[in-house]
């Protein structure tokens, strides 16, 4: 997590103004640098919870993609403001044998306040991968699960996927080319 975050922040530092003007640039860097360190399939499975079992393979794939795009939309702009000198990785505490680890970091805002940003990881066949980001105590996976769970119960998974894909398309039309 530390090396991926550092590489991402250094890439952003190299052309900060372009990253602020064009979120697509940030998204491309996240895809290239951070995505290999994240287990988005596992995250999406946790978000869907009981709905995962009943989802078709196609709906699962569509939801994973839509979930990832939502994550980029929600955090991409904030990433453009972070600089490498503002992030501190805190010492690891825990037991890796438990099958889960948390990488704790702090990010300093412009006003000097420190924001805790923690990454929850699990071992995979490709090494340890993050599956959740918790910012100021708010878990993205848990929050997203709460948001979409009731909507899936009321309108169905296909409807939620369609809404998320529509939001991604609308967002893409707002981005500079």
């Amino acid at each position: 997590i530390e090396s991926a975050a550092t590489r991402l922040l250094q890439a952003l530092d190299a052309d900060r103004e372009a990253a602020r003007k064009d979120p697509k640039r940030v998204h491309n860097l996240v895809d290239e640098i951070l995505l290999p360190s994240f287990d988005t399939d596992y995250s999406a499975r946790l978000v869907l919870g009981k709905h995962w079992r009943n989802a078709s393979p196609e709906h699962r794939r569509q939801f994973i993609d839509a979930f990832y795009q939502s994550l980029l939309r929600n955090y991409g702009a904030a990433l453009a403001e972070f600089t490498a000198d503002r992030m501190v990785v805190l010492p690891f505490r825990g037991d890796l044998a438990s099958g889960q680890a948390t990488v704790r970091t702090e990010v300093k805002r412009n006003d000097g306040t420190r924001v805790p940003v923690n990454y929850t990881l699990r071992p995979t066949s490709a090494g340890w991968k993050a599956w959740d980001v918790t910012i100021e105590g708010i878990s993205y996976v848990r929050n997203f699960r709460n948001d979409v769970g009731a909507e899936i119960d009321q309108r169905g998974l296909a409807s939620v996927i369609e809404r998320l894909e529509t939001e991604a398309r609308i967002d893409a039309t707002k981005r500079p080319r």
Side-chain angles (χ1 to χ4, degrees):
I1 292 295
E2 182 175 18
S3 68
T6 299
R7 283 183 31 232
L8 176 68
L9 293 173
Q10 287 171 344
L12 289 169
D13 286 347
D15 200 356
R16 178 74 48 197
E17 200 51 43
R20 285 186 181 118
K21 290 180 182 173
D22 184 5
K24 182 73 174 153
R25 206 180 262 268
V26 175
H27 293 188
N28 290 340
L29 288 171
V30 169
D31 285 345
E32 176 189 333
I33 298 169
L34 283 185
L35 183 57
S37 298
F38 278 81
D39 190 346
T40 53
D41 291 11
Y42 183 72
S43 298
R45 208 172 342 151
L46 292 176
V47 166
L48 284 182
K50 67 181 180 182
H51 302 289
W52 181 265
R53 286 186 301 275
N54 299 326
S56 69
E58 178 64 14
H59 276 156
R60 288 176 180 175
R61 186 196 58 73
Q62 288 175 318
F63 184 79
I64 290 166
D65 291 343
F67 170 71
Y68 177 66
Q69 292 305 315
S70 173
L71 188 64
L72 278 177
R73 278 194 320 280
N74 287 321
Y75 292 121
L79 280 174
E81 299 305 317
F82 289 160
T83 57
D85 63 327
R86 290 185 176 193
M87 186 183 97
V88 175
V89 177
L90 302 171
F92 176 73
R93 292 191 311 231
D95 178 14
L96 292 179
S98 71
Q100 183 169 297
T102 300
V103 174
R104 298 174 309 120
T105 70
E106 285 184 346
V107 177
K108 189 167 53 168
R109 289 188 171 139
N110 288 341
D111 66 4
T113 59
R114 296 186 180 279
V115 178
V117 179
N118 299 328
Y119 302 87
T120 307
L121 292 83
R122 71 186 201 100
T124 71
S125 58
W128 285 84
K129 291 196 174 208
W131 59 269
D132 195 11
V133 177
T134 303
I135 300 174
E136 294 186 294
I138 299 171
S139 158
Y140 189 76
V141 166
R142 189 176 307 120
N143 200 37
F144 204 80
R145 181 178 179 162
N146 291 340
D147 287 350
V148 301
E151 185 180 357
I152 292 170
D153 287 340
Q154 291 174 356
R155 299 177 45 206
L157 180 56
S159 177
V160 170
I161 292 168
E162 183 179 328
R163 176 183 61 79
L164 293 171
E165 290 174 342
T166 298
E167 289 171 359
R169 280 192 300 278
I170 290 169
D171 185 57
T173 63
K174 294 178 184 177
R175 291 186 205 137
R177 302 261 178 228

